[in-house]
């Protein structure tokens, strides 16, 4: 296995140039630069809001210095609240090339697009010079989420991902699972898997926080399609979702943008701290994928029953389909057919092994279905977090 | 798998999960007892493995996933019309469960 070596020592499995708009007002210009760019490795991300927000800055810093990212062009309107100087400094400090264009100082739309294309050409040339070096599977970070879950997800795809996670953790890779709101009802059994009792207490508290938060929102993390697919309650969906975590010990509890430094299994607490102030914790699956990537994930295992088609900017998404009927209907979008499990044609561990092999192949450059189809979904909105508690990342093993 | 249409996920469960759809009126044999479906049962949905009384826990994966809101007969569809979360209300496209649309 080989990876792209970055100046900060991290290794990537893709070699992406990001064009990042820092407010919706700069979105069109940034998109035009990406669309007109001749390279497939130039991707668009951005933040829509005009008000500053510590969380979105932290996530942007995590994304723009991600190991899959070779360089960044930031596109600012000029008067927005986003702290572009800090983002630029963070990217520079990571050794990656970064350019900033301010539309109000660059002569408007046409001139900024022209200047942006020039900058992107230079960034692509510099990315092509990045050295490929040996990369061990222990250096890989893998996230998992589920989307469009149904009554088959918890039987087929999620336990198969759990099996794959167990194997990756044996290899000393980092694995991250998340959505404490989709673990409501599992907090006790999950806490028992923590490597220290204090971490277990933190895990319990994170799920209690999620329950309170979602109760206030008036909805659980439960979509109409979940019910149409046979799931009835939040805790039923949770038990299925929980199976993605496999059976390894839980080594830590992180918040979005925190990057684990040691191999092991980590739970990401995605529910904001304090009184609810910006709405739902994550408005859609893609926002969860973005947080996983900001915490360093090189790729994401996405399980689905109803059938999601999304991919992501920056890091490949491997889609694992639990429902055999959905697989047949949407096979162009699915990487792994976990519907074989519920049909009795394959075991959980066989499909888990298949996912593990695909993780290695995708890490070596094989395109996933969503990559081939050009999916580069990206969502980043306002949130508010406090730092993690002292017991969340125990150093004892 | 119990048969072509249903799986039992854990020995202590009181529901089966459908793995191949069965239409209303069709019969199936569950652990040696024959029963006919009173509604269409599609993949991922649950039916009762035994008679379940109002207030009893619904057990799937060997753990509680909520409570019965009415008496449920063997073979009946188990879903939002006869069970509820013990944690947080579920919602459909029309309305939240238990509220008028």
């Amino acid at each position: 296995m080989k990876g792209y070596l970055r100046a900060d020592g991290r290794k990537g499995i893709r070699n992406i140039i990001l064009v990042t708009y820092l407010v919706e007002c700069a979105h069109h210009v940034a998109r035009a630069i990406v669309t007109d760019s001749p390279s497939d490795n130039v991707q668009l991300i951005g933040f829509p809001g005009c008000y500053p927000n510590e969380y979105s800055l932290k996530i942007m810093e995590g994304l723009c210095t991600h190991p899959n990212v070779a360089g960044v062009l930031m596109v600012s309107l000029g008067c927005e609240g986003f702290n572009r100087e800090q983002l630029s400094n963070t990217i520079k400090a990571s050794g990656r090339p970064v350019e900033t264009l301010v539309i109000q100082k660059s002569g408007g739309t046409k001139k900024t697009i022209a200047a942006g294309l020039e900058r992107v050409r230079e960034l692509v040339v510099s990315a092509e010079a990045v050295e490929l070096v040996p990369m061990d599977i222990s250096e890989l970070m893998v996230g998992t989420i589920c989307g469009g879950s149904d009554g088959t997800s918890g039987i087929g795809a999620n336990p198969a991902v759990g099996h794959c996670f167990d194997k990756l953790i044996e290899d000393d890779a980092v694995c991250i699972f998340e959505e404490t709101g989709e673990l409501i009802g599992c907090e006790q059994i999950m806490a028992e898997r923590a490597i220290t009792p204090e971490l277990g207490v933190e895990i319990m508290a994170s799920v209690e926080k999620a329950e309170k938060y979602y109760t206030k929102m008036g909805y659980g993390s439960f979509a109409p399609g979940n019910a149409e697919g046979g799931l009835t309650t939040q805790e039923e969906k949770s038990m299925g979702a929980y199976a993605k975590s496999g059976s390894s010990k839980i080594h830590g509890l992180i918040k979005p943008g925190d990057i684990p430094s040691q191999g092991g299994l980590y739970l990401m607490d995605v529910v904001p701290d304090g009184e609810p102030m910006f709405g739902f914790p994550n408005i859609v699956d893609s926002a969860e994928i973005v947080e996983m990537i900001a915490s360093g994930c090189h790729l994401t295992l996405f399980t689905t029953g109803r059938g999601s088609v999304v991919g992501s900017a920056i890091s490949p998404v491997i889609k694992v389909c639990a429902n055999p009927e959905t697989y047949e209907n949407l096979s162009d979008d699915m990487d792994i057919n976990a519907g074989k499990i519920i049909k009795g044609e394959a075991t959980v561990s066989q499909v888990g092994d298949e996912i593990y092999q695909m993780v290695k192949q995708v890490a070596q450059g094989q395109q996933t279905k969503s990559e081939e189809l050009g999916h580069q979904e990206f969502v980043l909105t306002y949130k508010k977090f406090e730092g993690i508690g002292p017991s969340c990342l125990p150093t004892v093993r | 798998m119990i048969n072509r249409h249903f799986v039992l996920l854990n020995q202590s469960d009181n529901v089966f999960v459908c793995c191949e759809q069965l239409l209303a009126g069709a019969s199936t044999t569950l652990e040696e007892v024959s029963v006919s479906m009173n509604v269409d049962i599609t993949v991922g949905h649950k039916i009762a493995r035994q008679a379940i009384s109002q207030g009893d826990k619904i057990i799937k994966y060997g753990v509680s996933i909520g409570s019965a809101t009415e008496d449920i007969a063997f073979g009946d569809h188990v879903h939002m019309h006869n069970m509820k979360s013990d944690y947080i209300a579920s919602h459909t496209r029309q309305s939240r469960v238990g509220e008028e649309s």
Side-chain angles (χ1 to χ4, degrees):
Chain A
M1 200 169 136
K2 290 202 165 176
Y4 295 94
L5 180 64
R6 307 299 171 198
D8 54 8
R10 295 167 80 190
K11 295 172 191 172
I13 63 166
R14 294 292 183 271
N15 204 24
I16 305 293
I17 298 298
L18 287 179
V19 178
T20 306
Y21 61 90
L22 304 183
V23 63
E24 180 59 22
C25 318
H27 188 161
H28 171 76
V29 168
R31 183 175 53 215
I33 294 167
V34 172
T35 306
D36 293 349
S37 156
S39 169
D40 289 340
N41 284 334
V42 179
Q43 297 185 348
L44 179 68
I45 67 168
F47 180 70
C50 191
Y51 297 92
N53 178 244
E54 271 181 41
Y55 157 83
S56 51
L57 179 58
K58 180 181 177 182
I59 297 296
M60 272 295 190
E61 289 175 317
L63 298 169
C64 291
T65 60
H66 188 280
N68 289 352
V69 173
V72 182
L73 169 65
M74 306 195 312
V75 185
S76 159
L77 174 64
C79 48
E80 74 273 10
F82 198 98
N83 190 340
R84 63 174 182 265
E85 292 81 8
Q86 184 179 327
L87 180 56
S88 174
N89 288 337
T90 303
I91 300 168
K92 261 184 216 142
S94 80
R96 288 167 181 74
V98 54
E99 300 280 348
T100 306
L101 287 173
V102 179
I103 297 170
Q104 288 165 350
K105 291 181 185 164
S106 303
T109 300
K110 272 192 190 170
K111 286 179 184 163
T112 312
I113 292 171
L117 280 166
E118 196 48 50
R119 301 286 197 289
V120 163
R121 259 190 286 277
E122 293 160 11
L123 288 168
V124 169
V125 170
S126 74
E128 282 164 359
V130 172
E131 195 188 352
L132 268 170
V133 296
M135 180 174 173
D136 191 73
I137 194 156
S138 65
E139 296 174 275
L140 207 56
M141 297 178 61
V142 180
T144 187
I145 78 152
C146 42
S149 296
D150 70 13
T152 65
S153 302
I155 301 168
N158 294 347
V161 164
H163 178 85
C164 172
F165 261 29
D166 288 345
K167 295 189 72 156
L168 286 166
I169 289 161
E170 273 173 38
D171 293 334
D172 207 28
V174 167
C175 290
I176 307 177
F177 71 114
E178 53 88 70
E179 188 38 317
T180 39
E182 290 172 1
L183 295 165
I184 292 170
C186 308
E187 59 275 9
Q188 188 65 51
I189 46 173
M190 195 158 59
E192 287 163 13
R193 286 170 61 196
I195 53 167
T196 64
E198 295 77 20
L199 173 61
V201 170
E202 291 278 4
I203 289 173
M204 292 282 284
S206 75
V207 178
E208 277 160 30
K209 177 180 73 170
E211 191 187 355
K212 275 192 201 130
Y213 198 103
Y214 275 104
T215 303
K216 196 144 194 172
M217 291 294 108
Y219 293 100
S221 180
F222 194 97
N226 297 145
E228 287 156 21
L231 293 175
T232 313
T233 63
Q234 182 69 61
E235 56 267 43
E236 180 183 16
K237 183 178 173 183
S238 294
M239 278 310 300
Y242 177 62
K244 298 197 300 299
S245 67
S247 58
S248 309
K249 288 276 183 196
I250 298 173
H251 293 94
L253 178 70
I254 58 170
K255 290 186 182 176
D258 296 341
I259 301 171
S261 57
Q262 280 183 292
L265 178 65
Y266 296 84
L267 171 64
M268 184 184 283
D269 174 8
V270 302
V271 174
D273 293 310
E275 281 300 302
M277 58 187 302
F278 297 119
F280 294 102
N282 275 324
I283 58 171
V284 71
D285 297 331
S286 294
E288 302 181 354
I289 297 175
V290 165
E291 290 181 338
M292 291 277 183
I293 297 171
S295 282
C297 288
H298 291 94
L299 52 88
T300 304
L301 304 176
F302 188 123
T303 65
T304 187
R306 303 295 284 173
S308 173
V309 300
V310 305
S312 181
I314 303 173
S315 292
V317 172
I318 295 175
K319 284 207 296 300
V320 183
C321 185
N323 186 318
E325 291 172 4
T326 305
Y327 183 82
E328 206 168 301
N329 188 22
L330 301 178
S331 56
D332 288 348
D333 288 282
M334 301 301 160
D335 295 285
I336 298 273
N337 177 12
K340 291 182 286 192
I341 296 169
I342 200 168
K343 298 290 274 182
E345 295 160 9
T347 63
V348 164
S349 47
Q350 282 167 344
V351 174
D353 290 344
E354 209 182 307
I355 301 169
Y356 177 76
Q357 290 308 323
M358 181 162 284
V359 165
K360 292 206 277 193
Q361 286 158 3
V362 169
Q364 283 164 72
Q366 183 185 310
Q367 297 260 295
T368 65
K369 291 284 177 71
S370 52
E371 281 184 297
E372 280 171 7
L373 292 166
H375 282 279
Q376 289 172 17
E377 283 80 359
F378 184 85
V379 175
L380 177 60
T381 57
Y382 287 95
K383 287 173 89 168
K384 187 184 172 193
F385 283 97
E386 291 156 14
I388 55 169
S391 308
C392 290
L393 285 174
T395 45
V396 293
R397 285 279 156 142
Chain B
M1 281 170 102
I2 292 302
N3 61 34
R4 193 155 65 88
H5 298 282
F6 293 98
V7 286
L8 177 66
L9 298 179
N10 187 292
Q11 278 305 325
S12 61
D13 288 0
N14 56 11
V15 291
F16 296 115
V17 178
C18 176
C19 56
E20 186 178 316
Q21 76 161 10
L22 204 56
L23 298 177
S27 294
T28 188
T29 302
L30 301 168
E31 297 175 318
E32 298 173 5
V33 184
S34 179
V35 65
S36 72
M37 299 296 108
N38 40 31
V39 293
D40 292 351
I41 302 292
T42 54
V43 173
H45 284 251
K46 301 174 286 297
I47 63 166
R49 186 186 180 195
Q50 62 206 49
I52 299 168
S53 303
Q54 184 178 351
D56 282 358
K57 300 290 184 201
I58 307 297
I59 308 293
K60 179 183 171 188
Y61 305 110
V63 297
S64 168
I65 59 160
S67 305
T69 52
E70 56 186 66
D71 291 345
I72 303 171
F74 167 64
D76 273 1
H77 188 205
V78 177
H79 203 21
M80 299 172 117
H81 61 290
N82 56 12
M83 70 168 288
K84 65 167 184 62
S85 171
D86 293 328
Y87 282 81
I88 194 166
S90 303
H91 62 282
T92 66
R93 218 178 300 282
Q94 290 76 36
S95 67
R96 270 180 284 162
V97 171
E99 289 178 9
E100 296 301 317
S101 49

